[in-house]
Amino acid sequence: MIAYHFPPENAIGAARPFRFYKYLQRFGWTPVVVTASPQDPARKLENVHYVPDPFLAKHRSTAWHAERAIRRLLVPGQNGMAWSRRVARFCESQLNRNIEGRVALYSTFPPLGTHLAALQVVRRHPLCWVADFRDPCFRDLYHSPGKKTVARRLRISIGTQIEQKIIEEPTIVIANTDAAAEEWKARFPRAAGRIQVIWNGFDGSDNLAAPALPPHTRKVLIHTGTMYGGRHTGPVLPSLDRLIRTNRLAADSIVLRFVGATDEGSLLPIDTALSAERQGWLEVTRTTVPRHHAVQMAREADGLFLVQPQSLTQVPGKLYEYIGIGRPILAFILRGSPIEDILQRCGVPNVCIYPEDTPDQVDQALLRFLQIPAGPWKANEWFLQTFDAVEQTRVLCSSIDEALAWNSSEK
């Protein structure tokens, strides 16, 4: 398993590969992980190997400057290039130890270096390669606004070639939403039969369910995690401000809380955000918070705020966490997105706000949301069965087993 992010790192990208790692042995597989996340010697996970990313080293070598130039000029937003070479060598050293039994290679993106490492390995060792995509690759490069300059055309050309390699060469390609899978099948018909969906999910053993809240007068609406990559509050802050100024909502009856690294440009409009902080109904923690602390704060809140207005295909990992916690969810999302479908079917009360909504529609949606009791509410069986980590690991293992059996029959 090549996973740049892995526990004890506090990144959301570490959760999915860790869930697979945790349950693979139930289905006859022994996971061996290589990661760029430093391991805790006091709580070392079995068969997890730390390979440092040389780009993060203090010493700036020629290779460091070369990767910096590549990342800035040719593949912006991607990383792990030099690291991929180290990882490929490590994987080959493991394969050269005469490992008995079946072997498969799993890599999870982002960053790009995970799939580049796997690509180097399979070109020397014909393995079953599972390329897992937690996010679309190079999507922002294709769809970002602006003129297509010579530099941008070059980046798109390089990005297209890399994307084609890491989607058409693996044995199995995993998208984390059906919308992403359908998009790739249309763009890469040669790989269509190998593209499948394993959604992000949750681990039932985490026991996220929120407790009953003691009586209180001020509702807490919380967003946990980093506000990045096009995420912003859209019409929500102006609506709360409008409701308070027109006395339809008391300023001391609500607090909107952001826990995690938050860019100033994510809280819109900025002057409203600054005024709201002074008034006390907006609280912002602008630094990264340990996951267990953020989860506990979410469990103690009255409602959970989800922000994803920038993507029609992706589902943030925190959605599954929010549903598992069981507080009402306010979502600022795109209409027709997979998020909307999951919210409509999961059994936990929610209200969605869309970018095209009028100010009055947003105001009414917020007032309607604030009337929903804090619960806790329990997700229904559809959600529990579809997104459970054990079931998803079973699906992954079944796909690998089928691919290995097919390869054996071909030989």
Side-chain angles (χ1 to χ4, degrees):
M1 298 182 69
I2 303 174
Y4 191 93
H5 304 290
F6 204 77
E9 185 181 355
N10 189 39
I12 190 66
R16 180 178 173 97
F18 180 69
R19 290 194 296 269
F20 288 143
Y21 164 86
K22 184 175 178 180
Y23 294 112
L24 276 167
Q25 291 197 15
R26 291 195 184 186
F27 303 96
W29 289 92
T30 300
V32 178
V33 179
V34 54
T35 180
S37 300
Q39 297 300 292
D40 183 353
R43 299 181 178 180
K44 192 173 187 312
L45 297 168
E46 186 177 2
N47 291 329
V48 177
H49 303 270
Y50 168 51
V51 174
D53 184 346
F55 192 78
L56 303 180
K58 293 181 179 179
H59 174 65
R60 296 187 174 183
S61 62
T62 302
W64 186 96
H65 287 286
E67 178 163 340
R68 179 173 179 268
I70 292 171
R71 287 165 60 168
R72 169 175 278 188
L73 301 175
L74 301 179
V75 284
Q78 307 296 338
N79 62 310
M81 269 69 81
W83 180 76
S84 74
R85 293 194 293 274
R86 289 189 175 188
V87 171
R89 288 195 295 268
F90 173 86
C91 291
E92 292 191 50
S93 72
Q94 294 288 304
L95 293 168
N96 291 333
R97 292 170 57 190
N98 296 317
I99 297 174
E100 296 182 359
R102 303 174 304 161
V103 180
L105 183 63
Y106 164 94
S107 57
T108 181
F109 169 92
L112 180 61
T114 58
H115 289 340
L116 293 182
L119 186 62
Q120 294 170 64
V121 174
V122 298
R123 288 191 168 176
R124 294 171 60 91
H125 302 267
L127 296 173
C128 172
W129 173 19
V130 181
D132 181 29
F133 289 83
R134 304 188 316 275
D135 283 318
C137 191
F138 297 106
R139 182 179 179 85
D140 291 343
L141 184 61
Y142 304 140
H143 297 284
S144 59
K147 295 181 178 180
K148 290 190 176 180
T149 62
V150 173
R152 187 179 173 196
R153 287 194 182 95
L154 177 61
R155 291 171 182 169
I156 291 175
S157 174
I158 293 172
T160 300
Q161 292 178 56
I162 294 174
E163 188 177 34
Q164 184 174 10
K165 291 290 185 185
I166 59 179
I167 288 182
E168 292 189 346
E169 294 210 14
T171 314
I172 301 168
V173 177
I174 299 177
N176 67 350
T177 71
D178 49 11
E182 291 306 313
E183 181 178 319
W184 283 336
K185 288 177 181 179
R187 291 180 56 212
F188 303 101
R190 287 177 52 191
R194 290 177 273 122
I195 297 172
Q196 59 183 263
V197 178
I198 299 181
W199 297 79
N200 270 323
F202 70 97
D203 187 346
S205 68
D206 286 345
N207 296 318
L208 295 174
L213 293 175
H216 58 291
T217 57
R218 193 174 204 190
K219 284 202 168 191
V220 175
L221 176 59
I222 194 169
H223 176 282
T224 60
T226 306
M227 291 281 284
Y228 70 97
R231 292 175 180 162
H232 58 84
T233 53
V236 174
L237 284 182
S239 177
L240 284 171
D241 179 63
R242 190 163 51 246
L243 292 171
I244 290 170
R245 284 189 291 103
T246 57
N247 295 320
R248 286 180 286 172
L249 184 67
D252 60 359
S253 69
I254 187 170
V255 59
L256 176 58
R257 184 173 292 156
F258 288 85
V259 177
T262 303
D263 294 338
E264 295 294 341
S266 298
L267 306 178
L268 301 175
I270 295 174
D271 56 344
T272 300
L274 293 174
S275 173
E277 284 192 90
R278 289 194 296 268
Q279 295 175 56
W281 59 265
L282 176 65
E283 296 178 1
V284 184
T285 301
R286 292 181 171 83
T287 57
T288 301
V289 175
R291 178 180 178 271
H292 69 275
H293 183 48
V295 168
Q296 186 57 32
M297 294 181 73
R299 294 175 75 242
E300 295 171 353
D302 296 88
L304 308 173
F305 187 27
L306 184 76
V307 177
Q308 187 84 357
Q310 80 285 7
S311 174
L312 194 58
T313 59
Q314 288 302 293
V315 178
K318 69 167 59 65
L319 174 64
Y320 308 96
E321 198 169 80
Y322 279 6
I323 294 172
I325 289 171
R327 299 296 188 204
I329 299 169
L330 177 69
F332 174 45
I333 58 174
L334 296 179
R335 194 182 299 275
S337 68
I339 301 173
E340 183 182 44
D341 181 58
I342 293 171
L343 286 172
Q344 289 176 348
R345 301 176 65 184
C346 72
V348 173
N350 60 86
V351 171
C352 295
I353 293 173
Y354 309 100
E356 68 272 17
D357 284 349
T358 65
D360 182 63
Q361 287 174 322
V362 178
D363 292 352
Q364 294 304 316
L366 275 168
L367 291 172
R368 189 167 65 253
F369 176 79
L370 294 173
Q371 295 301 312
I372 301 174
W377 303 83
K378 184 174 175 58
N380 58 28
E381 285 303 311
W382 169 81
F383 177 85
L384 298 176
Q385 292 178 9
T386 304
F387 303 108
D388 176 68
V390 177
E391 174 61 18
Q392 292 182 327
T393 307
R394 184 196 65 76
V395 172
L396 172 65
C397 292
S398 295
S399 297
I400 296 172
D401 291 342
E402 289 176 10
L404 290 173
W406 186 84
N407 286 338
S408 295
S409 65
E410 285 291 298
K411 293 178 182 178

